[in-house]
Amino acid sequence: MVSWSLRLAALALFFTAQARAGLSGIGPLQVPLSPDSPLPLSDEGFTSTTVVNSEGALYEQFAHPGFANYRLRLAQPSICDPTVKQYSGYLDISDTRHLFFWFFEARHDPDSAPLMLWLNGGPGCSSTTGLLFENGPCTITGPNSTTPNPHSWTNVANMIFLDQPIGTGFSYASDGSKVDTLADLAIDVYAFLQLFLARFPAHRARPLHIAAESWGGHYGPHIASHIHEKNLLLGPAPAPGQLHIPLASLVLANGLTEPRTQYGSIPEFLCGAARTPYSPLAPDSLKCAALRAEGPVCERMITACYKVRSAATCDPATAYCTARVLGAMGEWPVRSSRGVPGGVLTKLRAAGSEQNPYDLRIPCKDPQGVCYAEMQWVTTWMNEPATKSALGVDASPVDFVHCNMTVNAGFYLQGQAAQNSARLLPKIIKAGIRLLVFAGDTARAQAPRRVFEGTPPPLLTELTGDIGGKVRKAGGDGAGNVTYVQILRAAIWRRTTNRRLRWIPKWQT
């Protein structure tokens, strides 16, 4: 389980070089609609009107001249954390396609705090998973209740939680259309950021940090690369209304980014020299023998996917590696059409294993879901009429689900899972966009390999002096341009107790 105070301290360090900027250009409030300060409509061509959705909720609808088919609709809720200014609503990609978001100002000094976009993975898992279960300003405590999260990343950052792609969370399409490739996903997120920064011009002068978790290890590099390429195209004469997006860093949390190395690391992580103390497998077991044989096959199949990026090469690699490597113990979903009738989600469970694959220290408490009972609480709370009303949610064709497995299967059937998203990172790093990668050591997925050869510098807990992790950095001063942190006794997902580490001196020196 990841200590959220640890992650929060990391964020505080990562934002040390941020420039101050005021909120004088924030524009009118939403519900009730009253003037705060005017938008620069005349010189940049933006338009802002009041609209009512099918449920009778008031929105501000914001249009951008550079994105004629897109509209940003804004409401202003006061749930979860009523102490800060919030906005929620939709990016209307068309009359029938809509991406949901929820924005919170920083609790402390929002006028100078950076902007962060948080994305959960899946694919198809709502970013309210992070909001309510991980780093957001409130934590789900039951089917109908939340409590303030004192370790929220909103302590130090203005944060956007975006449900993407279409079909994720409250995002929906009423015409049956879908997004099932990383390239198309990046286009929609870029359009959202353009409209958001146009509507909230104060954030244009502040650094933007994109943080993505788990399968977001694929999302993040594609979105960052697309933003970088679009920024280069702006040049000295940008198109009307087009903005330079101030992308400062990419943060990957337990991310699946380079599957060949990461999947190939799992036998070593569970059975070999890098074996975790939480592994349920004995090194001399038949299961470990099978893993050692199947790991290289998995790597060869993913290599074929890297060489020819297509469903024909990448989908078989995904199916084999998921079943034979990720499914070696515990429970793991198979999300491929090959061997799974109709591409329907199935699950693998090794004999006698009841462990949570996201945290090997604890049992799977929700075998029909993702092993955390709290995820069902998230679904229930988000579907409450009062919650939907506060957020201005449309009467979408389907109810909120924390993970949409139809969306999930679509990406896998397109061969997206086994692609090498790490290939996109060198160019953005060379352009000055910093990279922070962190991972826990109690989840069987996203296992690092050969990162900590030699003796890595330890991270020490502030209260006890115990070693809490290991860190590597390269390039630049202080935190470096590329930094990798392994957090000990930490997993994918889950907010936990206050285990402070002295990250600030580490990042600043």
Side-chain angles (χ1 to χ4, degrees), residues 229-454:
E229 291 172 356
K230 288 293 186 179
N231 282 345
L232 292 177
L233 291 175
L234 289 178
Q242 293 266 349
L243 302 173
H244 180 277
I245 294 180
L247 180 59
S249 77
L250 175 63
V251 181
L252 302 179
N254 291 289
L256 176 61
T257 303
E258 203 271 89
R260 180 174 62 189
T261 297
Q262 291 177 275
Y263 284 17
S265 296
I266 290 175
E268 180 182 350
F269 180 68
L270 294 178
C271 304
R275 184 174 181 268
T276 172
Y278 313 109
S279 174
L281 304 181
D284 58 352
S285 66
L286 291 177
K287 184 66 68 175
C288 280
L291 267 177
R292 293 188 187 100
E294 290 164 342
V297 179
C298 168
E299 291 188 75
R300 289 195 294 271
M301 295 182 74
I302 295 178
T303 297
C305 170
Y306 286 5
K307 291 179 178 179
V308 181
R309 294 195 299 272
S310 70
T313 55
C314 298
D315 193 33
T318 301
Y320 184 91
C321 294
T322 300
R324 302 298 183 87
V325 180
L326 284 179
M329 61 85 191
E331 180 179 293
W332 201 262
V334 177
R335 307 175 178 97
S336 171
S337 63
R338 286 161 174 75
V340 183
V344 177
L345 175 71
T346 64
K347 296 189 183 253
L348 300 171
R349 182 183 295 280
S353 177
E354 299 292 335
Q355 285 181 297
N356 184 330
Y358 306 102
D359 187 342
L360 298 177
R361 299 168 297 177
I362 62 176
C364 178
K365 296 182 179 180
D366 180 21
Q368 301 307 312
V370 290
C371 287
Y372 293 103
E374 291 90 338
M375 294 303 179
Q376 299 304 323
W377 300 349
V378 170
T379 299
T380 300
W381 190 79
M382 292 296 286
N383 279 314
E384 284 290 328
T387 303
K388 288 185 174 183
S389 176
L391 297 174
V393 171
D394 290 345
S396 59
V398 295
D399 288 336
F400 176 93
V401 291
H402 66 84
C403 287
N404 185 326
M405 301 316 298
T406 300
V407 173
N408 187 292
F411 276 81
Y412 277 83
L413 295 176
Q414 289 292 331
Q416 302 292 287
Q419 291 196 20
N420 180 15
S421 296
R423 64 186 170 83
L424 302 173
L425 296 175
K427 66 177 179 181
I428 64 175
I429 293 169
K430 289 179 182 178
I433 299 168
R434 301 168 69 200
L435 174 67
L436 169 64
V437 179
F438 65 85
D441 70 340
T442 69
R444 77 175 162 188
Q446 291 84 50
R449 180 176 68 178
R450 294 189 296 270
V451 175
F452 294 114
E453 293 176 347

Side-chain angles (χ1 to χ4, degrees), residues 193-218:
L193 290 171
Q194 281 283 340
L195 269 73
F196 187 90
L197 292 175
R199 173 58 183 82
F200 299 98
H203 291 290
R204 300 181 203 171
R206 302 174 195 164
L208 168 67
H209 303 269
I210 296 176
E213 182 179 60
S214 190
W215 223 87
H218 281 308

Side-chain angles (χ1 to χ4, degrees), residues 3-14:
S3 167
W4 293 109
S5 58
L6 182 156
R7 290 187 177 184
L8 180 59
L11 285 176
L13 284 161
F14 211 58

